[in-house]
Amino acid sequence: MAVKPYDGKWETVWLPKTASTAIGNGFVAYASGLLVNATSSSASVVGISNRVVTSADADYALTSLIPVLVPMEASARLIGDVGTGSAVQATIGGTLVDLTDNKNIDVSASTTDILFVDRVLSTTKILARINKLGGGSGL
């Protein structure tokens, strides 16, 4: 599953992607004003990519617009997979955590503090809010 909106208000915003760069379904961030996959060191995220971009796509080498789900309110939550660490409510509930990559969450790290954990669903899934939103919604 990776990551997807869970509740709250989310809207699709069309934003320019980086040319000749693959983008997967998952968190995206800005690099030089264009979208790239978010990483464990991303300082903020824009939202969740709605499109997979591969080198086989006709617009791969272009800075064309792609759909990104962007939270339109601070209470909008997402459901995401834990890629690193083990999610336990007593340990990470109500805390800030990082990303492992553009599809997974690192619940054992709190350096970039991209997500705020609202609820642990299982040791491998959490409900969270984007803490550091970089563009798109004006939150």
Side-chain angles (χ1 to χ4, degrees):
M1 176 187 68
V3 60
K4 68 178 185 177
Y6 178 76
D7 64 10
K9 186 175 179 182
W10 293 78
E11 288 189 15
T12 299
V13 178
W14 290 80
L15 300 169
K17 67 176 185 63
T18 300
S20 302
T21 300
I23 294 179
N25 282 338
F27 293 108
V28 287
Y30 279 127
S32 301
L34 299 168
L35 293 177
V36 295
N37 284 325
T39 67
S40 62
S41 60
S42 294
S44 64
V45 295
V46 178
I48 302 168
S49 172
N50 246 2
R51 178 178 164 206
V52 174
V53 177
T54 69
S55 59
D57 294 336
D59 65 344
Y60 180 71
L62 305 174
T63 58
S64 54
L65 302 177
I66 64 169
V68 177
L69 289 166
V70 177
M72 292 292 135
E73 58 190 8
S75 61
R77 295 187 299 176
L78 57 89
I79 186 170
D81 289 340
V82 174
T84 304
S86 182
V88 177
Q89 186 70 31
T91 307
I92 68 160
T95 65
L96 296 166
V97 297
D98 297 350
L99 302 179
T100 301
D101 52 34
N102 75 313
K103 295 178 187 269
N104 297 289
I105 300 160
D106 182 349
V107 298
S108 65
S110 181
T111 303
T112 57
D113 296 340
I114 296 296
L115 300 175
F116 179 83
V117 179
D118 279 333
R119 184 173 160 210
V120 171
L121 301 175
S122 73
T123 55
T124 60
K125 292 203 184 311
I126 64 169
L127 282 180
R129 290 177 274 148
I130 297 175
N131 179 54
K132 292 190 176 176
L133 191 66
S137 75
L139 289 178

